[in-house]
Amino acid sequence: MSDAAQPTAAEVRAAAEAVKTALDRHLAAVERRSGEDDPAVFEAFNQLAAAAEVYDELLYDRYDEVTPFEIPGAEDALPPYTGPEEPNALSVLIRRDYAVAEPQRLLAHAERIEAAEGDDGSPASGTVHGALGLLFGEFEPDEIASRHKEFGLEEGDSTLWVTAADEPAEPGEWLEAPFEQVDPQQVVCRFDVSAVFDDEIDDVDDEDDEDEADGDDLEDELDSDLDEDEDLEPLDADRR
């Protein structure tokens, strides 16, 4: 970063003071918390995370230094909800990824769809992209999701976002760019499915298996030692 674009020392100092203030507010919210899901604590946490991030960036830009703080999940977490308390409309945004695992199975299904429709034109089922068009034109996305293996598809990542609004969108308003106008602060809930989460669970299971194996090895060693000591004379209970 050029010297002209660097923050001033006063800006860094102000950011540090903002972190201190956010720390005090977070502690006060924790001390007054009404339960595990107290919204005041959640809000104070996010304010502290935002203040710490600003300070960290300014500190690095000005002095080429960083802080030792890391807010868990701050990068991936949704911002605090600021949408309507009583929404009159909602939008459901869904993305599902698939891999074409068995093209021949996909093409065969497309041929059957085309034959049932009795289309006398050039067959669309002869290409993968044409077959996909036929498949998604014939079945609802939820049905394809439940029958994806039957159609030669393999599931990838998926995400579902529910956003709130005061009023429904005008007809045709967002069709050209359906996902560009999403306000993260109006997301009511979000559900993600990914093989990444399965890998994390597998890693934990592998660690547990290693711990169990280590325990078995230790138990085997103890059993072996006991076997070797079987010839020892038993202690005399009256010996003093």
Side-chain angles (χ1 to χ4, degrees):
M1 179 178 287
S2 64
D3 292 339
Q6 284 185 349
T8 64
E11 289 174 329
V12 179
R13 173 62 62 180
E17 293 300 326
V19 173
K20 298 175 185 178
T21 301
L23 275 170
D24 290 337
R25 289 175 178 171
H26 181 259
L27 177 58
V30 171
E31 291 173 338
R32 297 192 304 267
R33 73 188 310 162
S34 58
E36 291 185 1
D37 298 324
D38 190 330
V41 176
F42 182 78
E43 177 69 17
F45 173 90
N46 284 289
Q47 290 178 353
L48 176 57
E53 183 177 0
V54 171
Y55 172 61
D56 191 81
E57 290 179 356
L58 293 178
L59 185 71
Y60 181 79
D61 291 342
R62 177 69 185 183
Y63 300 109
D64 198 25
E65 287 290 342
V66 296
T67 65
F69 311 122
E70 182 177 357
I71 306 298
E75 295 181 357
D76 299 328
L78 290 170
Y81 176 76
T82 60
E85 290 297 326
E86 298 182 4
N88 297 313
L90 62 90
S91 296
V92 180
L93 294 85
I94 302 175
R95 171 172 172 170
R96 297 188 181 111
D97 284 4
Y98 298 95
V100 180
E102 299 180 70
Q104 295 305 318
R105 183 182 291 270
L106 172 65
L107 295 172
H109 271 281
E111 289 176 359
R112 287 195 287 271
I113 294 171
E114 210 162 36
E117 293 177 349
D119 190 358
D120 296 331
S122 59
S125 59
T127 62
V128 171
H129 71 271
L132 288 170
L134 287 169
L135 184 71
F136 281 86
E138 179 70 15
F139 300 104
E140 293 291 333
D142 288 342
E143 184 171 1
I144 293 176
S146 64
R147 300 173 57 188
H148 62 278
K149 291 183 179 179
E150 179 184 340
F151 298 136
L153 304 177
E154 181 179 306
E155 281 186 319
D157 289 355
S158 67
T159 186
L160 183 150
W161 294 32
V162 179
T163 65
D166 288 312
E167 300 294 337
E170 293 295 329
E173 180 180 351
W174 50 261
L175 291 179
E176 292 186 1
F179 300 106
E180 288 186 358
Q181 300 180 2
V182 179
D183 183 354
Q185 291 188 306
Q186 292 190 351
V187 175
V188 177
C189 57
R190 171 178 173 175
F191 304 96
D192 296 328
V193 177
S194 175
V196 172
F197 306 140
D198 297 336
D199 292 341
E200 292 175 354
I201 294 174
D202 291 341
D203 290 341
V204 172
D205 291 341
D206 290 342
E207 291 177 0
D208 291 341
D209 291 341
E210 290 177 3
D211 292 340
E212 290 178 3
D214 292 340
D216 292 340
D217 292 341
L218 179 59
E219 186 176 346
D220 291 341
E221 291 178 6
L222 291 173
D223 290 342
S224 176
D225 292 341
L226 289 173
D227 291 340
E228 292 176 359
D229 293 341
E230 284 181 351
D231 294 336
L232 296 177
E233 291 290 337
L235 291 176
D236 187 350
D238 295 331
R239 186 175 299 168
R240 297 170 184 243

